[in-house]
Amino acid sequence: MNLEELREYKSQIQNLADKYRIDSDSIRVFGSVARGEEEKNSDKARLFHASDAIEHIFAYLQEDPARGNRTRDAIIRQLEIVGEACNHVSKEVKSENHHCLARNYSYA
């Protein structure tokens, strides 16, 4: 969603702010949308999706093992998201950040 598309929802956003007693003047747009650099398929978006999926995996690993197949399937799906996102990160970003690719994650 770009800034112009977001502006179309201004009244709905203000209504939600009122409903939840949030000062609508305090609502800000930030990041790539605010800079006018929003791209669905940007490297930043892909890396964010991968990071978000990893967080979901850690959360699923903390769940009750009795949930079995549903948890396993959810973890597999999140791993697919990580793989898909990382496979489409530009070669430039991968080569500039090769030292980050082998990062150790711990869910303990």
Side-chain angles (χ1 to χ4, degrees):
M1 175 175 292
N2 63 39
L3 197 51
E4 284 301 314
E5 293 169 333
L6 185 61
R7 284 187 175 121
E8 294 175 16
Y9 294 95
K10 183 177 181 177
S11 64
Q12 292 167 314
I13 293 168
Q14 287 175 325
N15 289 339
L16 284 170
D18 292 342
K19 179 179 177 180
Y20 292 101
R21 298 180 182 174
I22 299 170
D23 178 12
S24 61
D25 291 334
S26 68
I27 297 174
R28 301 283 183 263
V29 177
F30 59 92
S32 60
V33 172
R35 292 188 308 270
E37 300 171 356
E38 71 290 329
E39 293 181 29
K40 181 179 178 185
N41 296 323
S42 71
D43 285 332
K44 286 182 184 179
R46 289 182 174 119
L47 293 171
F48 174 81
H49 290 302
S51 176
D52 192 46
I54 290 168
E55 293 296 323
H56 286 300
I57 291 168
F58 290 151
Y60 294 140
L61 290 171
Q62 300 301 317
E63 289 184 5
D64 180 7
R67 294 189 60 165
N69 291 342
R70 293 181 74 182
T71 299
R72 184 200 68 219
D73 292 347
I75 291 171
I76 290 170
R77 177 65 188 128
Q78 296 304 315
L79 288 169
E80 290 170 347
I81 291 170
V82 171
E84 187 71 18
C86 291
N87 281 337
H88 289 92
V89 170
S90 70
K91 290 179 183 178
E92 294 80 18
V93 168
K94 287 179 184 177
S95 66
E96 291 170 8
N97 298 284
H98 61 88
H99 58 282
C100 297
L101 298 177
R103 182 176 174 188
N104 289 326
Y105 287 96
S106 173
Y107 64 90

